[in-house]
Amino acid sequence: MYGLRLVATLSIALLLGGCAAPMRSSLTPEQRGKITELTAHVVVVQDEVIADVQASNVSAALGGGLIGAMIDSKVTNNRVNASQQVLGPFYAAIEDVDYRKEFNDSIRSGLAGYPIKVGQFTTTPRALSNDRLAHLRKSLQPGQALLVIVPRYTLSMDFRSFDSESVVTIWLRPEASDSNLPSQRGVLRYQSAPLGLGGKESLAQWSAENAAAFRDKMRESIAETVRMVMLDIDVASTTAEQAKDLKSFAFNTGAGKGEIKGKVLKTANGRAIVLGADQKLYSLPDPASIAVAIQQ
């Protein structure tokens, strides 16, 4: 029933634009002024949460080659198999969870207040091929543009954090743009506060009381993603001058403690939305709010 529910990834794929696309790009004032309506296309491919197992990178240390690649493959497969063995009870507890429906319902409601009017709204579980994307762009009427939202969600490799990453792009009609890249592009990342000490202990906490903690953080991730979508279109890239005054936030890499440096755009509900130095938008636990709660 569970099947293969885990994937090994080097990083979350940069969807709809490929490696050539910059992490953040914005409509020019002229382009935005010509858009009177957006056609929204929301693509939620996943049926259920997966564990973000980090791929081995021994090959790089060995200078590449077949032996290094074989070692990487074996190490990564062992990580996937080890994680899969402990996930059975957790999946049983979330069998009725429907992320796709909850995300689609929330983003549909949120887009009613988007800075540009959203007309047609389509949801699909099918990945958007280049041919399909080209067809959607050619079908646009004068004044229309295509808004595409693609979320992905995981448990971190240590099972302590619920993570999601969404790619949001706006595409113009082909005759209005000769580029095969989106005219607007943002990458939005949510991470929950860590739960437990990791491994089976964290999975037990996610599963407890009919997976109440998991359901809560999943819904929080969706709400925060909607908030970031609403902000994203008006966020410009961080300038070199602004980069001198960035705040630091703890970030769980799944393999240890990491750090995100960025400019705080908004705070609410114990969280901060941050424009990272890497040009992604992040929704992260706000250390200032946590400190206030402890003092009270």
Side-chain angles (χ1 to χ4, degrees):
M1 178 174 60
Y2 303 128
L4 183 60
R5 303 175 187 253
L6 301 170
V7 293
T9 57
L10 291 172
S11 63
I12 294 179
L14 301 181
L15 303 172
L16 302 176
C19 296
M23 189 64 66
R24 172 167 296 280
S25 58
S26 300
L27 291 162
T28 66
E30 181 182 10
Q31 288 172 329
R32 184 163 173 174
K34 291 180 179 180
I35 299 174
T36 57
E37 184 178 272
L38 292 172
T39 294
H41 205 82
V42 180
V43 184
V44 185
V45 176
Q46 282 177 251
D47 290 318
E48 58 206 359
V49 70
I50 56 178
D52 192 13
V53 179
Q54 296 179 2
S56 171
N57 198 24
V58 172
S59 178
L62 297 179
L66 179 60
I67 294 178
M70 291 175 64
I71 294 173
D72 281 340
S73 177
K74 184 174 181 179
V75 171
T76 299
N77 285 338
N78 286 342
R79 288 176 180 175
V80 170
N81 291 334
S83 296
Q84 189 176 11
Q85 289 175 11
V86 301
L87 280 168
F90 168 70
Y91 279 127
I94 64 168
E95 191 68 29
D96 64 328
V97 170
D98 192 342
Y99 177 96
R100 181 182 292 119
K101 182 180 186 306
E102 297 210 28
F103 186 90
N104 288 342
D105 289 347
S106 293
I107 197 69
R108 180 192 291 271
S109 176
L111 288 178
Y114 197 66
I116 302 175
K117 177 186 175 182
V118 176
Q120 183 179 345
F121 181 92
T122 301
T123 63
T124 178
R126 294 180 179 274
L128 198 58
S129 67
N130 288 335
D131 287 345
R132 179 60 176 160
L133 176 61
H135 173 75
L136 291 172
R137 292 181 67 191
K138 290 177 182 177
S139 300
L140 294 170
Q141 300 300 309
Q144 289 184 329
L146 177 67
L147 171 67
V148 181
I149 302 173
V150 185
R152 178 180 183 270
Y153 55 105
T154 65
L155 284 179
S156 58
M157 189 169 70
D158 59 7
F159 303 136
R160 298 181 67 218
S161 302
F162 185 102
D163 292 86
S164 71
E165 184 163 287
S166 300
V167 179
V168 181
T169 52
I170 294 178
W171 303 78
L172 303 180
R173 298 173 68 200
E175 60 267 32
S177 172
D178 58 3
S179 174
N180 289 323
L181 297 177
S183 297
Q184 172 94 22
R185 186 177 193 275
V187 180
L188 322 179
R189 185 75 186 266
Y190 162 92
Q191 184 170 92
S192 71
L195 182 68
L197 300 176
K200 292 182 179 179
E201 193 265 347
S202 289
L203 278 179
Q205 292 193 44
W206 287 121
S207 304
E209 299 180 9
N210 193 32
F214 177 83
R215 295 169 194 268
D216 176 64
K217 295 308 176 186
M218 180 196 75
R219 288 168 180 147
E220 180 181 74
S221 78
I222 293 172
E224 289 298 299
T225 297
V226 172
R227 290 178 67 211
M228 287 188 284
V229 167
M230 304 302 282
L231 284 173
D232 183 63
I233 190 171
D234 292 319
V235 173
S237 299
T238 302
T239 66
E241 185 63 29
Q242 291 170 332
K244 298 177 182 179
D245 188 29
L246 303 181
K247 293 188 177 181
S248 296
F249 292 81
F251 189 82
N252 178 26
T253 67
K257 294 181 179 180
E259 183 182 68
I260 296 297
K261 290 187 176 182
K263 175 185 177 183
V264 177
L265 303 180
K266 182 176 283 189
T267 58
N269 304 319
R271 299 189 64 83
I273 293 180
V274 177
L275 176 59
D278 60 2
Q279 304 306 321
K280 292 183 182 181
L281 273 190
Y282 290 86
S283 171
L284 301 169
D286 183 4
S289 297
I290 295 173
V292 170
I294 292 175
Q295 292 173 1
Q296 292 176 341

